[in-house]
Amino acid sequence: MAKENVQKNEERLEQIESTLGKTEMFIENNHKTIVIAVAAIVIVVLAIFGVRKFIVEPREEAAQAAIFRAEQYFENDDYATALNGDGEHAGFMDIIDEYGSTKTGNLARYYAGVCYLNTGDFDNAIKYLGAFKGKDQIVKPLARGAMGDAYLELDNAAEAAKCYEKAAKESKNTFTSPMFMMKAGLAYEMVEDYQKALEMYKLIKADYPNSNEGFSIEKYIAYVEAKLSK
């Protein structure tokens, strides 16, 4: 038994030595290729770091500084000035043009869409709200819901209902979800899709009974059920 173990160990050692020998031979035969590949990886990593450190981050900081005054106008409901600037300070459209590839530039698209919505330019509202690519759990559904408002202003209740439903489901929370479910239900009622309206209202009752919408949801359910029973 001891001899067998010794023999097996010797065989394993020979296999390891053989493998190591092949590895060394491969490295020796492909030395230049390996060096070039490693150098290329290092260059790519350094390039990515350099772009982020010396281009992306400074542009992001500049965009954040530039958008500050436009946000102030927005908070004061001066949507036209927030959108186009005051002649001295940039508006959201300027931010989009100059810093559109930054996170702040992306946020400016949301602001611009809301400004257009509040100034009655509903087509541009839909355009810029649709271009906004957000991940924030509140802003993302608000953008989709604002698109619904714009479609509703354009007398397209069917598309508005779809936007409201997506807004309600994109980020499930007690603030935006029941609000947009209610809006979706009302929009579905406008196009006489009472089954979808009932679906929205029942979701509010089941998932958000303590929300503002949930307190009065029974009458909406009763109304659409009566419509469906005719």
Side-chain angles (χ1 to χ4, degrees):
M1 181 66 70
K3 288 183 179 179
E4 289 181 3
N5 289 336
V6 171
Q7 185 177 355
K8 288 181 180 178
N9 288 337
E10 288 177 350
E11 288 175 356
R12 291 195 188 98
L13 185 60
E14 288 177 2
Q15 290 174 352
I16 292 170
E17 289 176 347
S18 175
T19 301
L20 289 172
K22 290 177 181 178
T23 302
E24 290 172 357
M25 187 177 295
F26 175 83
I27 293 173
E28 184 176 341
N29 292 338
N30 297 276
H31 177 73
K32 290 184 178 179
T33 302
I34 293 171
V35 169
I36 292 170
V38 171
I41 292 170
V42 171
I43 290 170
V44 169
V45 170
L46 290 174
I48 292 171
F49 175 79
V51 167
R52 183 178 300 169
K53 186 69 176 177
F54 301 108
I55 297 177
V56 175
E57 290 180 5
R59 280 181 57 77
E60 188 65 57
E61 291 175 3
Q64 289 174 1
I67 203 173
F68 176 73
R69 189 56 63 90
E71 288 180 320
Q72 286 187 319
Y73 284 121
F74 182 88
E75 290 170 4
N76 291 321
D77 298 336
D78 188 350
Y79 299 111
T81 306
L83 191 62
N84 300 305
D86 59 12
E88 182 180 355
H89 301 96
F92 294 127
M93 295 306 296
D94 299 312
I95 304 299
I96 293 168
D97 290 340
E98 183 69 22
Y99 304 105
S101 61
T102 65
K103 292 179 181 179
T104 302
N106 179 52
L107 182 61
R109 293 187 181 92
Y110 165 74
Y111 279 127
V114 176
C115 287
Y116 278 123
L117 177 63
N118 282 280
T119 55
D121 190 342
F122 305 119
D123 288 319
N124 267 324
I126 292 167
K127 175 183 175 180
Y128 284 97
L129 289 166
F132 169 70
K133 305 300 180 186
K135 296 180 180 179
D136 184 272
Q137 297 300 296
I138 298 297
V139 179
K140 184 179 180 181
L142 286 177
R144 182 72 68 176
M147 285 180 67
D149 292 341
Y151 277 116
L152 203 61
E153 292 289 350
L154 292 170
D155 296 323
N156 191 341
E159 197 61 38
K162 292 177 184 177
C163 286
Y164 291 141
E165 185 174 357
K166 287 180 181 178
K169 293 178 178 179
E170 274 182 335
S171 173
K172 293 184 178 181
N173 61 77
T174 57
F175 171 55
T176 63
S177 294
M179 176 176 67
F180 288 127
M181 284 177 185
M182 177 61 76
K183 283 193 169 189
L186 293 172
Y188 279 125
E189 282 191 45
M190 291 175 70
V191 295
E192 299 183 351
D193 190 343
Y194 298 113
Q195 191 61 53
K196 285 292 293 184
L198 182 62
E199 179 186 326
M200 294 295 101
Y201 298 150
K202 284 190 172 182
L203 280 173
I204 294 172
K205 181 180 178 180
D207 297 341
Y208 307 99
N210 296 321
S211 64
N212 290 332
E213 293 77 13
F215 291 137
S216 58
I217 201 62
E218 288 291 353
K219 68 179 182 180
Y220 292 93
I221 292 173
Y223 176 77
V224 293
E225 283 182 335
K227 285 287 187 180
L228 287 169
S229 65
K230 290 182 179 179

